[in-house]
Amino acid sequence: MKPLKLLILGGSGEAADLARALDGDARYDVTLSLAGRTKDPALLPGTLRKGGFGGAEGLARALAEERFDLLIDATHPFAVQMKANAIDGARVAGVPLLAIRRPAWSPREGDRWIMVESLEAAASAIGQDSRRVFLTTGRMELAPFRKAPQHFYIVRSVEAPASDELPPRMELITARGAFNVEDERALIEAHKIELIVTKNSGGAGAAAKLDAARALSLPVIMIERPDLPEAPSVETVADALAWLERAHGRASSA
Ligand SMILES: NC(=O)c1ccc[n+]([C@@H]2O[C@H](COP(=O)([O-])OP(=O)(O)OC[C@H]3O[C@@H](n4cnc5c(N)ncnc54)[C@H](OP(=O)(O)O)[C@@H]3O)[C@@H](O)[C@H]2O)c1
């Protein structure tokens, strides 16, 4: 039997973990698709394609023309557009879809979270008085904070934002997770950070800053998850691998 052609929509830790878990597995021929925002993405096994498909129709066309058998949407929890495109594209092309949707973080005892619905609301929730803010929302999403220039921002992102996108008073840290709690605590203390702004991405890789904030009794402005369209989904890479096993079992007995 020929290997099953799998397209993974990437841009998350799960996508990378899934690509690594399938490395050398002759049952699958894996292509990992990235939006192309990161110039220098982590090296991963499998075929890599970069850049958009051209909406749901473009994705449906690529699925059909390149004869993909399976689609896994492993995009970031805030990548709402691509999640919708995955559902529509898979339906039109008649390709089975699975989404990996990691659970959101929820507050624990000792947490001082301020829940907000948007980046704009996060920027205004910091308040009028000048604060030292640890900003981990991603380099594409700094515009609302430029409108709150009274604060000093410690901006952490995987790659440096364009200089005209940065808030006027800031220090940039480029780093790729996962992060550990000791280092997060040391960073918070060294930079005299007074509060943290983050999206509720969930997952282990970025959670250490929340543990450090709890230990230091620091407030966290938490941008809540967007509403996501319904799709067949699992929470973990292990469950996605089990779904693939089942798909392979069905194809080999057909
Ligand atoms: N949003 C975040 O907070 C965040 C955080 C970390 C990582 N990321 C990752 O960064 C990428 C872009 O995120 P976003 O929020 O801008 O996405 P989005 O708003 O949901 O998608 C915008 C467009 O980007 C293209 N795209 C997105 N993911 C793609 C993929 N894996 N392969 C090919 N094209 C893709 C699609 O273009 P076409 O319509 O032309 O196909 C899509 O319509 C995603 O892969 C996401 O997982 C996002």
Side-chain angles (χ1 to χ4, degrees):
M1 182 185 149
K2 277 205 303 190
L4 289 178
K5 275 198 84 176
L6 167 66
L7 178 63
I8 303 171
L9 302 176
S12 66
E14 285 85 350
D17 289 348
L18 184 60
R20 286 189 201 101
L22 294 171
D23 188 18
D25 190 331
R27 294 172 300 172
Y28 308 101
D29 171 3
V30 178
T31 299
L32 177 68
S33 167
L34 298 177
R37 310 267 199 277
T38 305
K39 280 193 218 87
D40 186 20
L43 265 185
L44 289 167
T47 306
L48 181 68
R49 76 171 295 291
K50 275 203 208 174
F53 294 90
E57 312 84 72
L59 175 60
R61 213 166 27 247
L63 287 168
E65 282 174 4
E66 295 169 44
R67 297 180 181 280
F68 282 102
D69 298 297
L70 301 165
L71 176 64
I72 293 189
D73 167 18
T75 51
H76 186 271
F78 280 70
V80 182
Q81 183 60 54
M82 197 62 205
K83 290 190 197 312
N85 293 357
I87 294 167
D88 294 343
R91 192 192 58 244
V92 170
V95 171
L97 164 71
L98 182 75
I100 303 180
R101 300 226 174 136
R102 69 173 93 126
W105 293 315
S106 44
R108 296 210 229 137
E109 195 171 336
D111 278 330
R112 297 175 58 203
W113 290 10
I114 300 152
M115 312 284 202
V116 295
E117 284 188 355
S118 64
L119 291 156
E120 292 71 20
S124 61
I126 304 170
Q128 288 304 317
D129 296 341
S130 175
R131 313 286 294 276
R132 292 181 66 84
V133 181
F134 187 21
L135 196 52
T136 65
T137 50
R139 81 188 151 93
M140 317 290 287
E141 324 241 40
L142 297 171
F145 302 96
R146 287 175 57 80
K147 294 189 188 138
Q150 70 273 32
H151 308 300
F152 188 92
Y153 296 97
I154 290 87
V155 176
R156 182 167 70 192
S157 58
V158 174
E159 287 180 351
S163 53
D164 60 351
E165 286 170 10
L166 286 163
R169 302 172 61 227
M170 63 97 216
E171 182 173 336
L172 179 65
I173 299 173
T174 51
R176 198 191 299 267
F179 303 102
N180 70 53
V181 66
E182 292 76 26
D183 290 349
E184 294 293 61
R185 190 176 170 143
L187 184 150
I188 288 170
E189 289 179 330
H191 290 273
K192 298 187 170 48
I193 285 164
E194 295 171 279
L195 65 79
I196 299 177
V197 178
T198 183
K199 290 177 176 170
N200 192 339
S201 301
K209 60 180 177 264
L210 304 176
D211 297 332
R214 188 180 313 111
L216 296 166
S217 196
L218 233 59
V220 174
I221 299 179
M222 183 65 72
I223 302 165
E224 294 187 84
R225 287 278 180 95
D227 289 335
L228 296 178
E230 293 271 326
S233 56
V234 293
E235 292 187 351
T236 64
V237 170
D239 288 341
L241 289 168
W243 181 83
L244 285 171
E245 290 270 347
R246 289 196 296 278
H248 189 270
R250 276 195 303 277
S252 48
S253 62

